[in-house]
Amino acid sequence: MLSAFTRAFKTPDLRKKLLFTLGIVVLYRLGAQIPVPGISYQNVQICLDNRESGDAGLLGLVNMFSGGALLQVTIFALGIMPYITASIILQLLVVVIPRLEALKKEGQAGQAKITQYTRYLTVALAVLQATGLVATARSGTLFQGCPVGDQIVPDDSVFVTMTMVITMTAGTALIMWLGELVTDRGIGNGMSILMFVSIAAGFPGALWAIKAQGELADGWIEFGAVIVMGLAMVGLVVFVEQAQRRIPVQYAKRMIGRRSYGGTSTYIPLKVNQAGVIPVIFASSLLYIPALIVQFSGSTAGWADWIRQNFQSQNAPIYVLTYFVLIVFFAFFYVAISFNPEEVADNMKKYGGFIPGIRAGRPTAEYLSYVLNRITWPGSIYLGLIALVPTVALIAFNAEGEFPFGGTSILIIVGVGLETVKQIESQLQQRNYEGFLR
Protein backbone atom coordinates (compact mmCIF):
# COMPACT_ATOMS: atom_id res chain seq x y z
CA MET A 1 0.00 0.00 0.00
CA LEU A 2 2.86 2.40 0.81
CA SER A 3 4.47 1.64 -2.54
CA ALA A 4 1.15 2.39 -4.25
CA PHE A 5 0.98 5.76 -2.47
CA THR A 6 4.55 6.40 -3.60
CA ARG A 7 3.58 5.67 -7.20
CA ALA A 8 0.54 7.91 -6.82
CA PHE A 9 2.75 10.83 -5.76
CA LYS A 10 5.16 10.07 -8.60
CA THR A 11 2.34 10.50 -11.11
CA PRO A 12 2.30 14.27 -11.90
CA ASP A 13 -1.43 14.86 -12.39
CA LEU A 14 -2.42 12.52 -9.55
CA ARG A 15 0.13 14.18 -7.26
CA LYS A 16 -1.43 17.56 -8.05
CA LYS A 17 -4.86 16.23 -7.13
CA LEU A 18 -3.62 14.78 -3.84
CA LEU A 19 -1.77 17.97 -2.88
CA PHE A 20 -4.78 20.09 -3.86
CA THR A 21 -7.01 17.94 -1.67
CA LEU A 22 -4.59 18.23 1.26
CA GLY A 23 -4.53 22.01 0.80
CA ILE A 24 -8.33 22.20 0.94
CA VAL A 25 -8.30 20.05 4.09
CA VAL A 26 -5.82 22.45 5.74
CA LEU A 27 -8.03 25.44 4.87
CA TYR A 28 -11.08 23.62 6.21
CA ARG A 29 -9.41 22.86 9.54
CA LEU A 30 -8.08 26.42 9.75
CA GLY A 31 -11.59 27.83 9.35
CA ALA A 32 -12.80 25.53 12.12
CA GLN A 33 -10.52 27.43 14.56
CA ILE A 34 -11.55 31.04 13.71
CA PRO A 35 -14.19 32.37 16.18
CA VAL A 36 -17.36 34.01 14.94
CA PRO A 37 -17.43 37.82 15.36
CA GLY A 38 -19.39 38.76 18.47
CA ILE A 39 -18.34 35.69 20.49
CA SER A 40 -16.33 36.00 23.70
CA TYR A 41 -13.49 33.60 23.01
CA GLN A 42 -12.31 33.64 26.62
CA ASN A 43 -15.74 32.68 27.98
CA VAL A 44 -16.09 29.89 25.40
CA GLN A 45 -12.76 28.42 26.52
CA ILE A 46 -13.79 28.65 30.17
CA CYS A 47 -17.00 26.75 29.43
CA LEU A 48 -15.14 24.14 27.37
CA ASP A 49 -12.67 23.59 30.23
CA ASN A 50 -15.52 23.21 32.75
CA ARG A 51 -17.64 21.06 30.47
CA GLU A 52 -17.79 17.41 31.41
CA SER A 53 -16.88 14.96 28.66
CA GLY A 54 -19.82 13.91 26.56
CA ASP A 55 -21.92 16.87 27.73
CA ALA A 56 -22.56 18.00 24.16
CA GLY A 57 -26.01 16.54 24.63
CA LEU A 58 -28.42 17.49 21.90
CA LEU A 59 -25.71 19.13 19.82
CA GLY A 60 -23.36 16.15 19.93
CA LEU A 61 -24.13 14.92 16.42
CA VAL A 62 -23.65 18.34 14.82
CA ASN A 63 -20.49 18.91 16.87
CA MET A 64 -19.06 15.62 15.59
CA PHE A 65 -19.76 16.51 11.94
CA SER A 66 -18.18 19.94 12.43
CA GLY A 67 -14.98 18.50 13.91
CA GLY A 68 -15.61 20.20 17.26
CA ALA A 69 -16.14 23.62 15.64
CA LEU A 70 -19.74 23.88 16.91
CA LEU A 71 -18.86 24.15 20.60
CA GLN A 72 -15.94 26.42 19.68
CA VAL A 73 -18.52 28.67 17.92
CA THR A 74 -16.31 29.25 14.90
CA ILE A 75 -17.14 30.40 11.37
CA PHE A 76 -17.44 26.72 10.36
CA ALA A 77 -19.55 25.89 13.43
CA LEU A 78 -22.37 24.34 11.39
CA GLY A 79 -19.93 22.17 9.47
CA ILE A 80 -21.29 20.05 6.66
CA MET A 81 -24.49 19.11 8.49
CA PRO A 82 -26.79 21.51 6.55
CA TYR A 83 -25.59 20.00 3.27
CA ILE A 84 -26.12 16.45 4.55
CA THR A 85 -29.64 17.33 5.70
CA ALA A 86 -30.45 19.04 2.39
CA SER A 87 -29.16 16.06 0.39
CA ILE A 88 -31.27 13.63 2.41
CA ILE A 89 -34.36 15.81 2.03
CA LEU A 90 -33.89 16.03 -1.76
CA GLN A 91 -33.44 12.25 -1.94
CA LEU A 92 -36.74 11.76 -0.15
CA LEU A 93 -38.52 14.40 -2.26
CA VAL A 94 -37.39 12.77 -5.50
CA VAL A 95 -39.60 9.80 -4.60
CA VAL A 96 -42.74 11.84 -3.87
CA ILE A 97 -42.47 14.79 -6.30
CA PRO A 98 -42.91 13.80 -9.98
CA ARG A 99 -41.01 16.85 -11.24
CA LEU A 100 -37.88 15.90 -9.28
CA GLU A 101 -38.23 12.27 -10.36
CA ALA A 102 -38.36 13.39 -13.99
CA LEU A 103 -35.21 15.51 -13.47
CA LYS A 104 -33.41 12.50 -12.03
CA LYS A 105 -34.21 10.49 -15.16
CA GLU A 106 -32.86 13.24 -17.46
CA GLY A 107 -29.29 12.24 -16.73
CA GLN A 108 -26.50 14.71 -16.13
CA ALA A 109 -28.55 17.84 -16.90
CA GLY A 110 -31.29 16.81 -14.50
CA GLN A 111 -28.78 15.88 -11.80
CA ALA A 112 -27.15 19.30 -12.15
CA LYS A 113 -30.55 20.91 -11.51
CA ILE A 114 -31.10 18.76 -8.41
CA THR A 115 -27.63 19.73 -7.19
CA GLN A 116 -28.58 23.39 -7.60
CA TYR A 117 -31.73 22.85 -5.52
CA THR A 118 -29.57 21.13 -2.89
CA ARG A 119 -27.35 24.21 -2.68
CA TYR A 120 -30.30 26.53 -2.19
CA LEU A 121 -31.78 24.30 0.48
CA THR A 122 -28.39 24.04 2.20
CA VAL A 123 -28.18 27.84 2.53
CA ALA A 124 -31.75 28.02 3.85
CA LEU A 125 -31.09 25.33 6.44
CA ALA A 126 -27.81 27.02 7.39
CA VAL A 127 -29.70 30.26 8.14
CA LEU A 128 -32.15 28.37 10.38
CA GLN A 129 -29.45 26.40 12.18
CA ALA A 130 -27.22 29.46 12.62
CA THR A 131 -30.14 31.40 14.12
CA GLY A 132 -30.86 28.52 16.49
CA LEU A 133 -27.20 28.25 17.51
CA VAL A 134 -26.93 31.98 18.21
CA ALA A 135 -30.14 31.89 20.26
CA THR A 136 -28.84 28.88 22.19
CA ALA A 137 -25.52 30.61 22.87
CA ARG A 138 -27.20 33.83 24.00
CA SER A 139 -29.57 32.00 26.37
CA GLY A 140 -26.70 30.17 28.09
CA THR A 141 -28.01 26.68 27.25
CA LEU A 142 -25.13 25.87 24.89
CA PHE A 143 -23.01 25.05 27.96
CA GLN A 144 -25.35 24.08 30.76
CA GLY A 145 -23.87 24.60 34.22
CA CYS A 146 -21.12 26.92 33.02
CA PRO A 147 -20.77 30.02 35.28
CA VAL A 148 -20.25 32.29 32.28
CA GLY A 149 -22.54 30.37 29.91
CA ASP A 150 -24.86 33.35 29.50
CA GLN A 151 -21.94 35.66 28.66
CA ILE A 152 -20.74 33.88 25.52
CA VAL A 153 -22.41 36.60 23.42
CA PRO A 154 -21.77 39.82 25.41
CA ASP A 155 -23.54 42.08 22.92
CA ASP A 156 -27.08 40.92 22.12
CA SER A 157 -27.86 43.71 19.65
CA VAL A 158 -29.61 42.96 16.37
CA PHE A 159 -26.55 43.96 14.33
CA VAL A 160 -24.25 41.52 16.17
CA THR A 161 -26.83 38.73 15.91
CA MET A 162 -27.26 39.26 12.17
CA THR A 163 -23.49 39.37 11.70
CA MET A 164 -23.09 36.04 13.49
CA VAL A 165 -25.87 34.38 11.48
CA ILE A 166 -24.55 35.67 8.15
CA THR A 167 -20.97 34.64 9.02
CA MET A 168 -21.91 31.07 9.92
CA THR A 169 -24.16 30.77 6.86
CA ALA A 170 -21.32 32.02 4.65
CA GLY A 171 -19.04 29.50 6.35
CA THR A 172 -21.40 26.67 5.38
CA ALA A 173 -21.55 27.94 1.80
CA LEU A 174 -17.74 28.07 1.73
CA ILE A 175 -17.51 24.48 3.00
CA MET A 176 -19.91 23.41 0.26
CA TRP A 177 -17.75 25.17 -2.34
CA LEU A 178 -14.56 23.59 -0.98
CA GLY A 179 -16.16 20.16 -1.16
CA GLU A 180 -17.16 20.70 -4.79
CA LEU A 181 -13.61 21.85 -5.59
CA VAL A 182 -12.23 18.59 -4.18
CA THR A 183 -14.76 16.67 -6.26
CA ASP A 184 -13.89 18.51 -9.49
CA ARG A 185 -10.15 19.14 -9.12
CA GLY A 186 -9.10 16.78 -6.33
CA ILE A 187 -9.40 13.04 -5.88
CA GLY A 188 -13.22 13.14 -5.78
CA ASN A 189 -15.90 12.67 -3.10
CA GLY A 190 -15.25 16.16 -1.76
CA MET A 191 -18.10 16.35 0.75
CA SER A 192 -17.33 12.87 2.05
CA ILE A 193 -13.64 13.70 2.54
CA LEU A 194 -14.48 16.87 4.50
CA MET A 195 -16.86 14.79 6.62
CA PHE A 196 -14.07 12.25 7.15
CA VAL A 197 -11.67 14.98 8.27
CA SER A 198 -14.22 16.48 10.68
CA ILE A 199 -14.85 13.17 12.43
CA ALA A 200 -11.20 12.08 12.46
CA ALA A 201 -10.20 15.41 14.04
CA GLY A 202 -12.01 14.43 17.24
CA PHE A 203 -10.35 11.02 17.60
CA PRO A 204 -7.13 12.07 19.43
CA GLY A 205 -9.00 14.11 22.05
CA ALA A 206 -11.58 11.40 22.64
CA LEU A 207 -8.92 8.71 22.99
CA TRP A 208 -6.89 10.80 25.42
CA ALA A 209 -10.00 11.54 27.49
CA ILE A 210 -10.61 7.81 27.90
CA LYS A 211 -6.97 7.35 28.93
CA ALA A 212 -7.21 10.20 31.44
CA GLN A 213 -10.36 8.71 33.01
CA GLY A 214 -8.88 5.19 33.21
CA GLU A 215 -7.77 3.67 36.46
CA LEU A 216 -5.68 0.65 35.39
CA ALA A 217 -1.99 1.50 34.88
CA ASP A 218 -2.80 5.22 34.68
CA GLY A 219 -5.39 4.56 32.00
CA TRP A 220 -3.10 2.80 29.53
CA ILE A 221 -4.98 -0.50 29.88
CA GLU A 222 -8.26 1.15 28.95
CA PHE A 223 -6.52 3.08 26.18
CA GLY A 224 -5.09 -0.10 24.69
CA ALA A 225 -8.41 -1.93 25.02
CA VAL A 226 -10.18 0.85 23.13
CA ILE A 227 -7.56 0.75 20.34
CA VAL A 228 -7.93 -3.02 19.99
CA MET A 229 -11.72 -2.74 20.00
CA GLY A 230 -11.52 0.02 17.38
CA LEU A 231 -9.37 -2.09 15.07
CA ALA A 232 -11.73 -5.04 15.48
CA MET A 233 -14.70 -2.81 14.63
CA VAL A 234 -12.92 -1.44 11.57
CA GLY A 235 -12.36 -4.98 10.33
CA LEU A 236 -15.99 -5.90 10.94
CA VAL A 237 -17.31 -2.78 9.23
CA VAL A 238 -15.01 -3.28 6.21
CA PHE A 239 -16.21 -6.88 5.90
CA VAL A 240 -19.91 -6.01 6.06
CA GLU A 241 -19.65 -2.87 3.92
CA GLN A 242 -17.99 -4.89 1.15
CA ALA A 243 -20.48 -7.77 1.44
CA GLN A 244 -23.10 -7.96 -1.30
CA ARG A 245 -25.54 -10.33 -2.92
CA ARG A 246 -24.94 -10.50 -6.65
CA ILE A 247 -28.07 -11.22 -8.67
CA PRO A 248 -26.99 -12.72 -12.06
CA VAL A 249 -28.47 -11.04 -15.13
CA GLN A 250 -28.23 -12.24 -18.73
CA TYR A 251 -29.03 -10.26 -21.85
CA ALA A 252 -30.43 -12.06 -24.88
CA LYS A 253 -28.52 -11.80 -28.15
CA ARG A 254 -30.27 -9.64 -30.75
CA MET A 255 -29.48 -9.35 -34.45
CA ILE A 256 -29.73 -5.87 -35.95
CA GLY A 257 -28.75 -6.02 -39.60
CA ARG A 258 -25.55 -8.05 -39.74
CA ARG A 259 -24.48 -7.19 -36.22
CA SER A 260 -25.40 -8.97 -33.02
CA TYR A 261 -25.96 -7.14 -29.77
CA GLY A 262 -26.30 -8.45 -26.23
CA GLY A 263 -25.56 -11.98 -25.23
CA THR A 264 -23.60 -10.77 -22.22
CA SER A 265 -23.97 -11.64 -18.56
CA THR A 266 -23.61 -9.31 -15.59
CA TYR A 267 -25.05 -8.96 -12.10
CA ILE A 268 -26.98 -6.58 -9.84
CA PRO A 269 -24.97 -5.91 -6.65
CA LEU A 270 -27.25 -5.68 -3.61
CA LYS A 271 -25.21 -4.61 -0.59
CA VAL A 272 -25.96 -6.06 2.82
CA ASN A 273 -25.89 -2.52 4.20
CA GLN A 274 -27.81 -0.95 1.34
CA ALA A 275 -28.91 2.05 3.44
CA GLY A 276 -25.42 3.10 4.54
CA VAL A 277 -25.21 5.45 7.52
CA ILE A 278 -28.51 7.25 6.84
CA PRO A 279 -30.65 5.20 9.31
CA VAL A 280 -28.25 6.01 12.16
CA ILE A 281 -28.45 9.74 11.37
CA PHE A 282 -32.25 9.61 11.14
CA ALA A 283 -32.60 7.73 14.43
CA SER A 284 -30.13 9.99 16.27
CA SER A 285 -31.87 13.14 15.04
CA LEU A 286 -35.32 11.85 15.96
CA LEU A 287 -34.26 10.88 19.48
CA TYR A 288 -32.96 14.41 20.07
CA ILE A 289 -36.42 15.91 19.61
CA PRO A 290 -38.00 14.90 22.98
CA ALA A 291 -34.99 16.10 24.97
CA LEU A 292 -34.84 19.27 22.87
CA ILE A 293 -38.47 20.07 23.71
CA VAL A 294 -37.83 19.55 27.42
CA GLN A 295 -34.66 21.64 27.35
CA PHE A 296 -36.27 24.68 25.76
CA SER A 297 -39.58 24.38 27.63
CA GLY A 298 -37.91 24.19 31.04
CA SER A 299 -40.87 22.19 32.32
CA THR A 300 -40.68 20.33 35.65
CA ALA A 301 -43.82 18.26 35.07
CA GLY A 302 -43.88 14.48 35.35
CA TRP A 303 -43.63 13.91 31.60
CA ALA A 304 -40.57 16.16 31.40
CA ASP A 305 -38.84 14.27 34.22
CA TRP A 306 -39.62 10.96 32.49
CA ILE A 307 -38.05 12.20 29.25
CA ARG A 308 -34.97 13.45 31.11
CA GLN A 309 -34.51 10.07 32.78
CA ASN A 310 -35.08 7.96 29.67
CA PHE A 311 -33.96 10.03 26.66
CA GLN A 312 -31.24 12.42 27.84
CA SER A 313 -29.03 9.61 29.10
CA GLN A 314 -27.70 7.19 26.50
CA ASN A 315 -27.37 4.54 29.21
CA ALA A 316 -31.14 4.37 29.83
CA PRO A 317 -32.66 1.02 28.71
CA ILE A 318 -35.60 2.75 26.99
CA TYR A 319 -33.22 4.98 25.03
CA VAL A 320 -31.11 2.02 23.93
CA LEU A 321 -34.14 -0.05 22.87
CA THR A 322 -35.80 2.87 21.04
CA TYR A 323 -32.55 3.74 19.28
CA PHE A 324 -32.11 0.17 18.04
CA VAL A 325 -35.74 -0.15 16.83
CA LEU A 326 -35.59 3.21 15.01
CA ILE A 327 -32.38 2.23 13.20
CA VAL A 328 -33.94 -1.03 11.99
CA PHE A 329 -37.10 0.81 10.89
CA PHE A 330 -35.25 3.56 9.02
CA ALA A 331 -32.99 0.98 7.34
CA PHE A 332 -36.03 -0.68 5.75
CA PHE A 333 -37.63 2.70 5.05
CA TYR A 334 -34.58 4.15 3.27
CA VAL A 335 -33.95 0.98 1.26
CA ALA A 336 -37.59 1.00 0.16
CA ILE A 337 -37.38 4.56 -1.20
CA SER A 338 -33.85 4.36 -2.64
CA PHE A 339 -34.16 1.06 -4.53
CA ASN A 340 -37.19 0.46 -6.74
CA PRO A 341 -37.42 -3.21 -7.81
CA GLU A 342 -40.18 -2.48 -10.32
CA GLU A 343 -38.09 0.20 -12.06
CA VAL A 344 -35.07 -2.13 -12.20
CA ALA A 345 -37.21 -4.97 -13.57
CA ASP A 346 -38.73 -2.70 -16.24
CA ASN A 347 -35.28 -1.49 -17.35
CA MET A 348 -34.04 -5.07 -17.59
CA LYS A 349 -37.05 -6.07 -19.65
CA LYS A 350 -36.63 -3.04 -21.89
CA TYR A 351 -33.07 -4.01 -22.82
CA GLY A 352 -33.70 -7.73 -23.04
CA GLY A 353 -32.24 -8.71 -19.69
CA PHE A 354 -33.52 -11.41 -17.38
CA ILE A 355 -32.57 -13.29 -14.24
CA PRO A 356 -31.97 -16.99 -14.98
CA GLY A 357 -34.98 -19.00 -13.81
CA ILE A 358 -37.13 -15.88 -13.25
CA ARG A 359 -39.59 -14.53 -15.79
CA ALA A 360 -39.15 -10.92 -16.89
CA GLY A 361 -41.48 -8.20 -15.63
CA ARG A 362 -43.45 -8.52 -12.41
CA PRO A 363 -41.91 -11.87 -11.26
CA THR A 364 -38.47 -10.25 -11.51
CA ALA A 365 -39.59 -7.28 -9.40
CA GLU A 366 -41.08 -9.61 -6.78
CA TYR A 367 -37.88 -11.66 -6.68
CA LEU A 368 -35.70 -8.57 -6.26
CA SER A 369 -37.98 -7.29 -3.50
CA TYR A 370 -37.82 -10.66 -1.73
CA VAL A 371 -34.01 -10.79 -1.85
CA LEU A 372 -33.70 -7.16 -0.78
CA ASN A 373 -35.91 -7.71 2.27
CA ARG A 374 -33.96 -10.81 3.26
CA ILE A 375 -30.55 -9.09 3.18
CA THR A 376 -31.86 -5.86 4.77
CA TRP A 377 -32.61 -7.70 8.02
CA PRO A 378 -28.98 -8.57 8.83
CA GLY A 379 -27.87 -5.17 7.49
CA SER A 380 -30.25 -3.26 9.78
CA ILE A 381 -29.36 -5.38 12.83
CA TYR A 382 -25.67 -4.80 12.08
CA LEU A 383 -26.26 -1.04 11.95
CA GLY A 384 -28.12 -1.12 15.26
CA LEU A 385 -25.38 -3.10 16.99
CA ILE A 386 -22.61 -0.87 15.63
CA ALA A 387 -24.50 2.23 16.78
CA LEU A 388 -24.84 0.81 20.31
CA VAL A 389 -21.13 0.10 20.69
CA PRO A 390 -20.39 3.55 22.28
CA THR A 391 -23.04 3.00 24.97
CA VAL A 392 -21.82 -0.51 25.80
CA ALA A 393 -18.17 0.57 25.79
CA LEU A 394 -18.71 3.57 28.05
CA ILE A 395 -20.65 1.43 30.51
CA ALA A 396 -17.92 -1.22 30.44
CA PHE A 397 -15.15 1.32 31.07
CA ASN A 398 -17.28 3.35 33.52
CA ALA A 399 -16.47 6.45 31.49
CA GLU A 400 -18.47 9.52 30.58
CA GLY A 401 -16.65 10.62 27.45
CA GLU A 402 -17.51 10.10 23.82
CA PHE A 403 -16.37 6.72 22.53
CA PRO A 404 -14.39 7.45 19.35
CA PHE A 405 -14.88 4.13 17.52
CA GLY A 406 -18.60 3.67 17.22
CA GLY A 407 -21.87 4.48 15.59
CA THR A 408 -21.98 7.09 12.90
CA SER A 409 -18.28 7.96 13.11
CA ILE A 410 -16.84 4.52 12.39
CA LEU A 411 -19.29 3.89 9.54
CA ILE A 412 -18.40 7.16 7.83
CA ILE A 413 -14.66 6.83 8.46
CA VAL A 414 -14.51 3.32 6.97
CA GLY A 415 -16.94 4.05 4.13
CA VAL A 416 -15.15 7.20 2.97
CA GLY A 417 -11.76 5.55 3.41
CA LEU A 418 -12.73 2.60 1.21
CA GLU A 419 -14.21 4.87 -1.45
CA THR A 420 -11.12 7.11 -1.50
CA VAL A 421 -8.83 4.10 -1.87
CA LYS A 422 -10.96 2.89 -4.79
CA GLN A 423 -10.71 6.30 -6.44
CA ILE A 424 -6.91 6.33 -6.23
CA GLU A 425 -6.79 2.66 -7.25
CA SER A 426 -8.80 3.30 -10.41
CA GLN A 427 -6.64 6.27 -11.39
CA LEU A 428 -3.47 4.23 -10.85
CA GLN A 429 -4.81 1.39 -12.99
CA GLN A 430 -5.58 3.83 -15.79
CA ARG A 431 -1.87 4.65 -15.89
CA ASN A 432 -0.78 0.99 -15.91
CA TYR A 433 0.51 1.09 -12.37
CA GLU A 434 -0.04 -1.49 -9.69
CA GLY A 435 -2.82 -0.46 -7.38
CA PHE A 436 -3.55 -1.19 -3.74
CA LEU A 437 -5.00 -4.62 -4.47
CA ARG A 438 -2.74 -7.42 -5.70
Side-chain angles (χ1 to χ4, degrees):
M1 183 178 243
L2 291 177
S3 61
F5 269 114
T6 303
R7 292 190 184 96
F9 273 97
K10 286 182 178 179
T11 307
D13 54 342
L14 189 54
R15 181 176 63 247
K16 290 180 180 178
K17 292 182 178 181
L18 290 171
L19 293 176
F20 180 81
T21 302
L22 290 175
I24 294 295
V25 167
V26 171
L27 288 177
Y28 176 60
R29 291 306 301 161
L30 179 63
Q33 308 302 320
I34 302 175
V36 171
I39 286 290
S40 173
Y41 180 77
Q42 293 79 6
N43 290 339
V44 169
Q45 297 307 311
I46 292 174
C47 289
L48 286 174
D49 292 338
N50 295 333
R51 182 178 70 92
E52 293 184 1
S53 298
D55 193 34
L58 307 176
L59 303 174
L61 185 67
V62 182
N63 189 58
M64 181 188 71
F65 278 108
S66 66
L70 175 71
L71 295 182
Q72 294 278 358
V73 198
T74 67
I75 60 175
F76 287 170
L78 301 181
I80 203 170
M81 198 63 181
Y83 182 84
I84 296 174
T85 307
S87 299
I88 294 174
I89 291 175
L90 261 297
Q91 273 189 298
L92 298 177
L93 291 180
V94 164
V95 181
V96 297
I97 298 180
R99 170 59 180 165
L100 293 178
E101 187 176 3
L103 284 175
K104 183 180 179 181
K105 295 180 179 179
E106 288 181 4
Q108 187 174 358
Q111 190 60 45
K113 199 69 175 178
I114 294 177
T115 301
Q116 193 70 16
Y117 292 155
T118 305
R119 293 170 184 161
Y120 295 149
L121 185 58
T122 298
V123 173
L125 291 175
V127 172
L128 293 177
Q129 293 183 15
T131 304
L133 178 58
V134 172
T136 303
R138 286 174 53 181
S139 65
T141 56
L142 183 61
F143 298 100
Q144 293 184 349
C146 178
V148 292
D150 57 347
Q151 302 175 24
I152 292 178
V153 186
D155 188 353
D156 58 354
S157 63
V158 176
F159 176 77
V160 171
T161 301
M162 292 295 296
T163 301
M164 294 174 65
V165 171
I166 292 174
T167 301
M168 284 189 281
T169 303
T172 298
L174 179 59
I175 292 174
M176 185 167 54
W177 180 60
L178 293 177
E180 292 180 354
L181 283 179
V182 173
T183 301
D184 295 337
R185 300 176 55 184
I187 59 177
N189 298 322
M191 297 298 179
S192 299
I193 289 177
L194 294 184
M195 195 188 312
F196 177 98
V197 171
S198 297
I199 297 172
F203 274 22
L207 285 171
W208 192 252
I210 290 178
K211 186 266 176 190
Q213 294 174 5
E215 299 177 355
L216 301 176
D218 293 332
W220 289 109
I221 300 296
E222 289 86 350
F223 182 85
V226 169
I227 294 294
V228 172
M229 185 181 298
L231 293 177
M233 286 187 59
V234 168
L236 173 64
V237 172
V238 170
F239 177 77
V240 178
E241 291 297 318
Q242 298 288 82
Q244 57 183 224
R245 169 72 183 276
R246 296 182 175 182
I247 307 296
V249 178
Q250 292 184 354
Y251 287 90
K253 184 178 294 186
R254 295 179 297 173
M255 295 296 297
I256 301 179
R258 294 185 177 181
R259 292 187 177 183
S260 63
Y261 296 88
T264 60
S265 61
T266 182
Y267 60 87
I268 301 174
L270 297 180
K271 296 181 63 177
V272 173
N273 182 21
Q274 190 81 7
V277 74
I278 301 299
V280 180
I281 297 177
F282 278 2
S284 301
S285 303
L286 194 61
L287 279 179
Y288 285 152
I289 295 177
L292 186 66
I293 295 174
V294 171
Q295 179 176 340
F296 284 99
S297 66
S299 175
T300 57
W303 64 270
D305 292 336
W306 186 85
I307 289 178
R308 290 190 185 96
Q309 294 175 2
N310 295 286
F311 285 96
Q312 284 194 348
S313 174
Q314 295 185 4
N315 300 337
I318 294 180
Y319 178 94
V320 172
L321 180 62
T322 306
Y323 191 29
F324 183 83
V325 171
L326 284 176
I327 289 174
V328 173
F329 168 77
F330 281 121
F332 278 91
F333 172 77
Y334 189 76
V335 168
I337 66 172
S338 61
F339 185 89
N340 190 345
E342 294 183 358
E343 182 179 350
V344 174
D346 290 341
N347 289 335
M348 288 172 52
K349 185 178 180 180
K350 179 179 178 181
Y351 294 102
F354 64 93
I355 300 174
I358 306 296
R359 295 180 58 186
R362 184 173 183 82
T364 297
E366 292 176 351
Y367 177 75
L368 291 175
S369 179
Y370 170 77
V371 174
L372 194 61
N373 288 333
R374 291 288 295 272
I375 66 173
T376 301
W377 272 112
S380 61
I381 294 174
Y382 146 81
L383 279 177
L385 294 177
I386 289 293
L388 292 178
V389 165
T391 301
V392 176
L394 293 179
I395 294 175
F397 294 121
N398 193 25
E400 297 180 356
E402 296 178 359
F403 188 72
F405 301 106
T408 311
S409 59
I410 196 67
L411 291 169
I412 293 176
I413 287 289
V414 174
V416 176
L418 288 174
E419 191 62 32
T420 303
V421 168
K422 290 179 181 178
Q423 289 276 354
I424 300 176
E425 166 77 13
S426 63
Q427 296 192 39
L428 283 174
Q429 289 180 346
Q430 289 177 2
R431 294 163 179 81
N432 298 320
Y433 284 116
E434 278 190 1
F436 292 97
L437 304 176
R438 295 186 178 182

